[in-house]
């Protein structure tokens, strides 16, 4: 038998401590190493290797969210955001625990009764109806996807599915949503540094990885989006989300001392060692690929099938998945309040030769951990055996508040749960918001002639962020389980872009859920505060468009950022988080779960660091009271009226119109949540009264793109008149009205017979009739001087929009 | 009247079992979903059942080739009871992965009850990738005689979702036989009902074949998913069109249950 390995830290000086952390890939800072040293000095012994690994996994940024729970000292040149400075004219603001002060705070202040479980479990859980609840979680799997796109993305979706299976006492997954951020697919090969995969290869690999895992799991992928930006060449982002349904009386779990610990599913191998700590470090050309896990969806499917049977027969008291940190995190979390004892040699291995610490921290996939009352062991084991799922007893939960690990009879780890979970030091970060550099003076875009604006519209439609994603969507089964009511593509020829998907989770009920996302990292380059606000607005607009009830809508946040130790990065993070609080408070849409992935930066051979654009994905989930009232975005009938809801501002900063012309700009879209909330409520009401024939939100590309998409998706023409569009400035021009990306706007199609009632429903909202649906298949826009400025066949517009992605 | 009993067979990687069970229940059959391991333990597993459905999914991950492992289990472990089940005129329906299983186990094309060797296959789509889309299907010209499509519209609409769905016959002779015997149940067509190419024929199937039955007609395999169009809200254009409440897919299950009720219970 191998002797237990101890690591000498008792006598180590600061430099040595740092070296130990670095050499063992622990990703622990000096402050943390010193706290550990102090702990062991009291214990009068050195830590074992597995103890140090356990602490590193548990205290990793990935698991502990040190940045979000730490202390931030923030300064802003203009004392913004005002909600933070509260009238103070200067100085710094100190925030203890950013997460609790913003995202968690808004949820607790809103006190929504339908929020059943928030921020505690593997997923957020909301009420669905009197018997059922809905769980939703979105995860990131960025670092692995950069190194091994297919496997990285596949295990990304595999991981979030297990989060749903491990939410409450286990939810049945009913849909997936995927959002990807890649570098441009035409990025020059010559510019790629050594070791970085080309965006095209990453794109294809990620799409097939998610496809092969999601399709095999039998979970429809019904929603998603893709964003291309040069900032993602080194670090692509892969967000995977899953929605599940579970009985309302199965939303909570509690381990009891004396319960048996059972590991279910995949075997443990050397794949995914140090995943949690590795994702807390920057990537460089030498980053090890062994940190990427290897997935097997059929094992996960079998695990899902059997666990749901065991759940319904009440055979376990608690459950969680092995994600980042492997057993170390899973058993560590479950046993936090009581204690646990594990015999590492009982854990089934893929192959011989693993060190005991590797067994403990391996992130091999498809594993779940259950807390099973001893008298139920026989029955639960039978369920697993009947469907060829491997399940073994690996230990028990105790009441001594210790984490006790044994390997072949010898103690290899004895840690206080209290120290493991609460002992980590708080970190302090500095954040500074500096005056942004104004982009080069007044932006001048050549005055377009008539032909010009039609051409501009076509070019916008063909921009990869706006263009059709059909190539991806059709590779994903979006109808398995027969619960998809509004599919990702729809309209006269099943190829128009729907705003959100709608699922009908129960066969015998007309209640549904709508899911959508909001993401726009371009705005983040100007100000993360308004990026966050815009993304929330966008996600909400999308669910409202299809018939989601704004008053029963919950949000998820997913921050992907660079290195938070850089004051400007941290300032952006803080501003975005503050916007989450400010907006959600007024919209009355609580956050129920979230995730952050920091340190998304690449260090090249010369040591130059490049971080990703600060990116926040907001996902919204809404209850749809009656799916029979769901509305799609394709226009329906010639003669119907076209309305715009919400005001248009001259907000071209960060717009795709500017990007097309090579500018970024400054004046990015802002949000007035009070007014926006009213608009959304009115839309919800109008849809509920069946006064809306089609509805689409204005996002990238503004009014022009939104109306064009509605027209060609419906296979009908449209006449639009810009003179009618409510615009906030006296000085106006056609291209600003057409392409400004101001938030909180909807384009709505209304039948003439319902015009009066529709307008009555909209009495608190800025609205204007701006055009008509026409029989002839042409898209016509008249400018502010009443001249025809855009004229195109809808077939031509569609052709531009369907430009191949790859 | 005695109730028709249906069994939905599932195994590792099956994933359309839940909605298939639902469709059968809506059609009026008392339905149970059973794992292959449970079935293998029984002496006479299909006794008392009149309908066996092998639903879609990725049985055993579609390792080796789609449906192959489950097909071998049927062929080598359940041969006698399946043969008996089919010979007695009971119904077998394979959907998507289930169709792949039926052709690889020899239950289809079923010129004899269980073919010794594989005569037809479903190979990789011409497009080279997994595809999910809705397709128009023409019911074969023998539809009035065929128990599955009796009374159905000339052209129906159903979704497909597969990577390996291209129907190929061993030789032309066999194809002619299938035509002559009226074994071709559905063909991929365009909106108007004419045979056409991609994407109307989503995988490049020979003679646009989407579904076939055995010679006797009681074993049927199809790539499209009837269980995914049970009511109008499954239709991709229900938000813009007046549609009947019931979807095209449910009639297939109803026909099967009706037939079983009249002839098998």
């Amino acid at each position: 038998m191998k002797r237990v390995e101890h690591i000498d830290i008792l006598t180590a000086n600061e430099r040595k401590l740092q070296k130990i952390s670095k050499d063992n890939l622990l990703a622990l800072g000096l402050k943390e190493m010193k706290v550990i040293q102090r702990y062991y000095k009291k214990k009068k012994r050195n830590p074992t290797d597995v103890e140090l690994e356990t602490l590193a996994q548990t205290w990793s940024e990935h698991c502990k969210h040190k940045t979000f729970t730490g202390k931030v000292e923030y300064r802003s040149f203009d004392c913004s955001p005002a909600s933070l400075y509260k009238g103070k004219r200067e100085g710094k603001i100190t925030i203890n625990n950013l997460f609790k002060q913003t995202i968690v705070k808004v949820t607790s202040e809103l006190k929504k009764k339908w929020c059943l479980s928030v921020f505690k479990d593997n997923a957020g859980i909301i009420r669905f109806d009197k018997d059922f609840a809905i769980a939703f979680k979105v995860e990131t799997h960025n670092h692995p996807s950069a190194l091994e796109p297919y496997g990285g993305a596949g295990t990304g979706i595999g991981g979030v599915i297990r989060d749903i299976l491990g939410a409450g006492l286990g939810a049945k997954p009913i849909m997936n949503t995927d959002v990807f951020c890649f570098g441009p697919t035409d990025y020059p090969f010559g510019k790629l540094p050594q070791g970085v995969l080309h965006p095209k290869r990453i794109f294809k690999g990620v799409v097939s990885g998610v496809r092969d895992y999601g399709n095999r799991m039998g979970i429809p992928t019904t929603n998603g989006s893709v964003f291309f930006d040069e900032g993602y060449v080194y670090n692509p982002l892969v967000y995977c989300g899953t929605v599940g349904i579970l009985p309302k009386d199965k939303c909570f779990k509690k381990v009891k001392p004396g319960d048996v610990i059972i590991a279910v599913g995949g075997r443990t191998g050397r794949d995914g060692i140090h995943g949690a700590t590795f994702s807390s470090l920057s990537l460089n050309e030498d980053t090890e690929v062994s940190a990427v896990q290897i997935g097997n969806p059929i094992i996960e499917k079998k695990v899902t099938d059997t666990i749901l049977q065991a759940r319904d027969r009440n055979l376990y008291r608690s459950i969680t998945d092995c994600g980042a940190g492997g057993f170390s995190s899973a058993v560590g979390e479950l046993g936090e309040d009581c204690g646990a004892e594990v015999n590492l040699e009982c854990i089934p291995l893929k192959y011989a030769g693993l060190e005991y610490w590797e067994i403990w921290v391996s992130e091999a996939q498809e594993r779940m951990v259950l807390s099973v009352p001893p008298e139920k062991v026989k029955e639960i084991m039978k369920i697993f055996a009947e469907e060829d799922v491997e399940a073994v007893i690996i230990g028990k939960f105790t009441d001594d508040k210790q984490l006790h690990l044994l390997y072949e009879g010898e103690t290899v780890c004895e840690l206080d749960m209290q120290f493991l979970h609460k002992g980590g030091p708080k970190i302090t970060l500095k954040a500074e918001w500096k005056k942004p550099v104004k982009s080069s003076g007044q932006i001048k875009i050549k005055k377009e002639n008539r032909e010009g604006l039609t051409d501009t519209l076509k070019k916008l439609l063909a921009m990869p962020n706006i263009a059709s994603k059909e190539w991806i969507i059709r590779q994903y089964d979006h109808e398995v389980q027969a619960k998809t009511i509004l599919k990702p593509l729809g309209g006269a020829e099943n190829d128009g872009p729907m705003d959100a998907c709608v699922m009908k989770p129960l066969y015998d009920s007309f209640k549904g859920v709508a899911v959508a996302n909001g993401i726009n990292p371009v705005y983040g380059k100007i100000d993360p505060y308004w990026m966050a606000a815009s993304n929330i607005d966008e996600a909400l607009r999308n669910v409202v468009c299809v018939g989601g009830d704004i008053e029963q809508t919950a949000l998820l946040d997913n921050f992907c950022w660079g290195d938070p130790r850089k004051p400007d990065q941290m300032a952006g993070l803080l501003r975005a988080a503050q916007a989450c609080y400010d907006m959600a408070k007024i919209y009355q849409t609580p956050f129920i779960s979230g995730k952050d992935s920091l340190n998304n930066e690449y260090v090249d051979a010369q040591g130059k660091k490049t971080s990703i654009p600060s990116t926040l994905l907001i996902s919204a989930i809404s209850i749809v009271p009656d799916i029979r009232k769901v509305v799609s975005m394709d226009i329906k009938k010639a003669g119907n009226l076209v309305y715009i809801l919400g005001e248009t501002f001259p907000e071209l900063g960060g717009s795709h119109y500017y990007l097309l012309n090579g500018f970024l700009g400054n004046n990015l879209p802002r949000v007035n949540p009070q007014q926006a909330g009213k608009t959304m409520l009115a839309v919800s009401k109008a849809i509920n009264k069946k006064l809306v024939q089609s509805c689409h939100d204005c996002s990238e590309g503004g009014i022009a793109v939104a109306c064009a998409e509605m027209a060609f998706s419906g296979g009908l023409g449209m006449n639009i008149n810009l003179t009618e569009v409510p615009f906030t400035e006296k000085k106006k021009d056609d291209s600003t009205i057409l392409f400004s990306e101001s938030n909180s706007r909807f384009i709505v199609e209304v039948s003439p017979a319902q015009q009066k009632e529709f307008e009555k429903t909209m009495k608190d909202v800025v609205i204007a009739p701006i055009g008509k649906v026409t029989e002839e298949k042409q898209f016509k826009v008249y400018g502010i001087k009443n001249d025809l400025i855009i004229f195109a066949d809808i077939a031509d517009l569609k052709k531009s929009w369907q430009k191949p992605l790859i | 009247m005695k109730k028709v009993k249906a069994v939905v067979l599932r195994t590792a990687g099956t994933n359309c079992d839940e909605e298939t069970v639902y469709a059968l229940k809506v059609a009026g059959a008392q339905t149970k979903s059973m794992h292959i391991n449970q079935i293998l333990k029984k002496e006479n597993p299909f006794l008392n059942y009149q309908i066996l459905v092998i639903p879609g999914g990725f049985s055993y991950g579609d390792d080796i080739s789609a449906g192959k492992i489950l097909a071998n289990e049927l062929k080598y472990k359940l041969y006698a009871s399946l043969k008996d089940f089919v010979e007695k005129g009971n119904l077998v329906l394979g959907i998507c992965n289930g169709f792949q299983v039926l052709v690889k186990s020899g239950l289809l094309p079923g010129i004899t009850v269980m073919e010794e060797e594989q005569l037809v296959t479903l190979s990789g789509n011409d497009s080279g990738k997994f595809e999910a889309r809705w397709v128009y299907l023409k019911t074969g010209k023998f539809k009035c005689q065929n128990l599955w499509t009796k009374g159905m519209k000339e052209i129906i609409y159903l979704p497909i979702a597969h990577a390996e769905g291209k129907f190929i016959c061993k030789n032309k002779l066999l194809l002619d036989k299938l035509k002559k015997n009226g074994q071709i149940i559905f063909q991929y067509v365009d909106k108007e009902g004419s045979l056409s190419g991609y994407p109307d024929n989503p995988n490049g199937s020979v003679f646009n074949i989407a579904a076939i039955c055995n010679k006797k007609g009681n074993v049927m395999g199809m790539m499209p998913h009837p269980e995914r169009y049970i009511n109008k809200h499954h239709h991709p254009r229900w938000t813009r069109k007046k549609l009947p409440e019931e979807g095209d897919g449910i009639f297939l299950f109803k026909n099967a249950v009706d037939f079983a009720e009249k002839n098998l219970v």
Side-chain angles (χ1 to χ4, degrees), chain A residues 172 215-216 218 298 301-302 305 309 386-388 474-477 479-483 485 487 491-492 494 507 627-628 630 632 634-636 714, chain B residues 10 12-16 18-19 22 35 37 41 58 60-62 129-134 157 159 161 227-228 233-240:
Chain A
K172 179 186 163 65
N215 287 353
R216 276 176 172 68
I298 297 305
K301 178 71 169 86
K302 292 199 294 186
D305 291 347
Q309 292 174 42
E386 270 175 2
E387 303 200 5
D388 305 320
R474 296 240 175 266
Q475 293 189 57
Y476 296 152
D477 191 338
E479 285 163 296
V480 57
Q481 298 192 18
K483 292 168 184 162
I485 293 306
K487 305 175 207 301
N494 299 351
Y507 293 127
I627 61 102
R628 288 168 291 191
V630 161
S632 58
D634 43 303
I635 47 173
K636 307 291 186 314
Chain B
R10 69 185 181 86
T14 302
N15 62 31
C16 302
E18 188 195 5
E19 56 272 39
Y22 176 70
H35 193 276
N37 288 354
K41 268 193 233 155
F58 291 81
Y60 304 104
D62 279 354
K129 54 180 192 284
F130 185 98
E131 293 213 29
R133 59 171 78 247
W134 282 67
Y157 198 42
E227 80 283 10
R228 295 188 189 178
H233 299 106
H234 286 133
H235 192 288
R237 294 189 293 278
W238 73 267
T239 56
R240 56 180 298 120

Side-chain angles (χ1 to χ4, degrees), chain B residues 56-77:
Chain B
F58 291 81
S59 54
Y60 304 104
D62 279 354
D63 297 345
I64 305 178
S65 82
K68 184 70 183 173
I69 299 176
L70 182 57
N72 277 356
E73 287 194 295
L74 298 190
K75 195 167 168 180
Y76 297 109
K77 295 182 181 166

Side-chain angles (χ1 to χ4, degrees), chain A residues 281-585:
Chain A
L281 298 166
S282 305
L283 288 175
N284 62 50
E285 60 177 321
D286 301 322
T287 306
E288 281 180 56
V289 181
S290 70
V292 181
Q293 306 85 350
I294 300 167
N296 182 335
I298 297 305
I299 294 183
E300 188 146 311
K301 178 71 169 86
K302 292 199 294 186
V303 169
T304 309
D305 291 347
T306 44
I307 283 198
L308 293 175
Q309 292 174 42
R311 177 198 72 184
D312 292 341
R313 279 154 70 175
N314 301 312
L315 297 180
Y316 54 84
R317 259 193 278 262
S318 188
I319 180 171
T320 198
D321 71 309
C322 282
F327 283 116
S328 163
S329 301
V331 176
E333 274 167 34
L334 285 182
E336 184 177 346
D337 299 328
C338 54
E341 185 181 291
V342 175
N343 299 299
L344 295 172
E345 75 280 358
C346 296
I347 294 169
L349 303 179
K350 291 182 180 175
Y351 32 76
L354 267 76
E355 304 269 348
Y356 58 79
W357 69 266
E358 290 179 311
I359 300 174
W360 185 238
V361 301
S362 159
E363 295 177 10
Q365 296 291 291
E366 290 92 27
R367 301 174 305 166
M368 301 293 292
V369 176
L370 302 176
S371 165
V372 181
E375 69 275 14
K376 307 243 165 108
V377 170
K378 212 174 141 192
E379 195 181 344
I380 200 169
M381 287 304 210
K382 196 168 161 247
I383 291 180
F384 295 128
E386 270 175 2
E387 303 200 5
D388 305 320
V389 175
E390 195 161 22
V392 290
I393 296 174
I394 63 165
K396 60 172 191 267
F397 289 105
T398 58
D399 57 4
D400 60 3
K401 299 196 163 45
Q402 294 279 309
L403 177 65
H404 188 193
L405 302 181
L406 297 116
Y407 186 66
E408 294 176 347
E410 191 174 351
T411 292
V412 294
C413 165
E414 240 176 343
L415 269 173
D416 296 299
M417 283 290 187
Q418 172 73 18
F419 178 68
L420 178 61
H421 290 285
K422 305 265 158 47
K426 274 209 164 188
I427 55 168
T428 302
L429 290 152
K430 285 202 175 359
E432 193 176 355
W433 182 246
K434 286 189 194 144
K435 198 170 180 159
V437 188
K438 286 261 174 200
S439 72
S440 58
Q442 195 63 34
I443 287 155
K444 287 207 173 76
I445 295 173
K446 261 195 328 209
K447 265 229 169 327
E448 282 111 332
N449 55 21
R450 283 182 179 194
E451 201 107 338
L453 281 170
T454 306
D455 200 46
T456 306
L457 174 59
K458 286 183 185 165
K459 281 188 186 145
L460 274 169
L461 287 167
M463 283 178 89
N465 291 337
I466 295 173
S468 169
K469 310 293 184 293
E470 186 164 354
W471 183 82
I472 305 173
I473 295 167
R474 296 240 175 266
Q475 293 189 57
Y476 296 152
D477 191 338
H478 44 262
E479 285 163 296
V480 57
Q481 298 192 18
K483 292 168 184 162
T484 314
I485 293 306
L486 195 65
K487 305 175 207 301
L489 294 169
E493 287 176 66
N494 299 351
D495 55 7
M498 297 297 121
D499 289 291
C501 69
V502 178
M503 306 300 296
K504 179 173 167 294
L506 303 170
Y507 293 127
D508 55 2
S509 155
F510 283 110
K511 211 164 199 185
V513 289
V515 174
N517 290 296
I519 186 167
N520 192 328
V522 182
Y523 300 156
K525 294 176 184 179
I526 305 171
D527 184 351
Y529 183 89
W530 292 113
M531 166 180 78
S534 296
N535 293 354
I536 292 171
D537 195 77
E538 184 187 9
L540 293 176
R541 282 188 324 254
N542 283 330
V543 287
V544 166
C545 270
V546 299
D549 177 4
I550 183 74
E551 293 180 303
Q552 292 181 76
T553 300
L555 301 173
L556 305 187
D557 60 279
N558 254 281
F559 292 86
C560 286
W561 237 254
D563 183 352
R565 283 164 300 190
K566 293 179 181 158
D568 61 325
Q569 290 278 333
M570 191 59 220
L573 193 61
L574 182 144
R575 290 175 75 82
Q578 184 63 33
C580 286
Y581 173 84
D582 293 346
M583 296 300 139
K585 185 73 193 280

